[in-house]
Amino acid sequence: LGQEIGWSRILQQAKANGLVPLVTRNLQQVGFRGVPTQIRAELETSYRRNALRNVLLRGELIRVLKALGQARVRAMPLKGLALAESLAAFVEA
């Protein structure tokens, strides 16, 4: 991080590839060393926006899975934390 870095390009690519949370988390681990203030602010804003979106989507997924369960339709999320939680519930049942 001590060298000149094209931070605008990194931010652009992170957004284009859905990697803002990963990039932000990794830069947090090094204290955002060398990251310009404006880029850091954009990364943190996008990170928080993504976290909020995930909370909302998780709630909607739970609602849909409950509705499907009440209709006796077996369903399972295909990836992420929701998959892990549904598998844990399935194993316990």
Side-chain angles (χ1 to χ4, degrees):
L1 292 176
Q3 298 177 6
E4 185 64 33
I5 296 176
W7 287 106
S8 295
R9 179 79 170 143
I10 289 173
L11 178 62
Q12 177 188 17
Q13 288 297 305
K15 286 181 178 180
N17 292 292
L19 296 173
V20 169
L22 180 63
V23 170
T24 304
R25 190 182 64 208
N26 285 323
L27 288 171
Q28 282 173 337
Q29 290 178 349
V30 295
F32 287 99
R33 188 179 55 225
V35 180
T37 304
Q38 181 182 351
I39 299 296
R40 177 181 178 166
E42 279 195 61
L43 285 168
E44 289 177 330
T45 297
S46 293
Y47 185 86
R48 285 190 298 274
R49 220 179 261 139
N50 183 68
L52 177 59
R53 179 178 174 269
N54 286 341
V55 168
L56 295 172
L57 289 174
R58 182 179 184 275
E60 184 64 13
L61 177 61
I62 289 169
R63 187 187 71 73
V64 168
L65 290 175
K66 283 182 180 179
L68 289 171
Q70 290 171 350
R72 296 190 183 274
V73 174
R74 294 181 71 172
M76 180 174 59
L78 297 178
K79 67 178 199 173
L81 181 59
L83 172 60
E85 289 175 350
S86 69
L87 288 175
F90 183 74
V91 170
E92 293 172 6

